[in-house]
Amino acid sequence: SSSDPTGICRLPALEGEAGRLEPQLADPALYADQARFRPLLERFKACRADLEVALARWEERQLALERATAKYEREARESGEG
């Protein structure tokens, strides 16, 4: 979305959707019904792919935040020492 170009805000929804699809895909009876199985499997694959991208972006942002915090704290200490 335009307000969340990274997809990070979608993480809970993606995790929830994957969690709802997994038990359905684990049902052996589903494999006999290819008309139901194929769309569910494709949606699960797409959901997992979106989830991986959003998680990677979240990890990048988390690392950037940790670096910025460390830099800020270092600069604050140095300015207080002078």
Side-chain angles (χ1 to χ4, degrees):
S1 81
S2 60
S3 62
D4 178 29
T6 64
I8 291 171
C9 291
R10 294 186 55 223
L11 277 170
L14 291 168
E15 289 172 333
E17 184 173 6
R20 285 187 297 277
L21 292 171
E22 279 180 315
Q24 294 177 55
L25 290 168
D27 180 3
L30 178 65
Y31 297 94
D33 185 353
Q34 290 293 306
R36 270 187 58 225
F37 168 69
R38 289 182 188 273
L40 279 176
L41 181 60
E42 292 306 313
R43 182 60 206 137
F44 180 73
K45 288 179 180 178
C47 183
R48 294 296 299 179
D50 290 348
L51 188 55
E52 286 181 30
V53 169
L55 281 170
R57 290 179 176 160
W58 180 84
E59 289 170 357
E60 291 169 2
R61 297 311 191 275
Q62 185 65 28
L63 183 57
L65 176 61
E66 289 170 7
R67 288 180 178 154
T69 300
K71 180 181 177 187
Y72 172 80
E73 289 172 350
R74 184 177 57 252
E75 289 174 355
R77 278 192 310 272
E78 289 171 359
S79 68
E81 293 174 2

